Amino acid sequence: MSHTYLTTSQLAERIQYNVRTIRTQLVDTCLFEGRHYVRPFGRRKMLFIWENIESDMLSLAVDTIA
């Protein structure tokens, strides 16, 4: 399976959130390591997995509409 990896800045641009908001409020509350992002080589940098984030955002939207 192929994944699209995004930096924090790229994710912020796609979902229209501030980079700081993603880092301080969404990581580890809505976005979880291993599911929504990885830390390559155990470093500080996070790469976000777009397909998993998009899937979860859309499933939550459907749940609130129904």
Side-chain angles (χ1 to χ4, degrees), residues 1 4-5 7-9 12-13 16 20-23 27 29 33-35 37-38 42 47-48 51 53 57-59 61:
M1 179 179 205
T4 304
Y5 295 101
T7 64
T8 308
S9 300
E13 191 174 308
Q16 301 298 304
R20 178 178 271 169
T21 302
I22 292 171
R23 287 188 185 135
V27 167
T29 57
E33 189 168 4
R35 167 93 181 125
Y37 70 93
V38 294
L47 292 177
F48 293 90
E51 290 79 9
I53 293 170
M57 284 191 327
L58 293 175
S59 72

Side-chain angles (χ1 to χ4, degrees), residues 26-39:
L26 298 182
V27 167
D28 296 331
T29 57
C30 298
L31 302 174
F32 300 104
E33 189 168 4
R35 167 93 181 125
H36 300 111
Y37 70 93
V38 294
R39 293 180 190 266

Side-chain angles (χ1 to χ4, degrees), residues 43-59:
R43 302 292 178 141
R44 287 179 39 168
K45 183 175 185 123
M46 292 181 278
L47 292 177
F48 293 90
I49 305 167
W50 174 244
E51 290 79 9
N52 293 349
I53 293 170
E54 183 179 43
S55 171
D56 287 0
M57 284 191 327
L58 293 175
S59 72

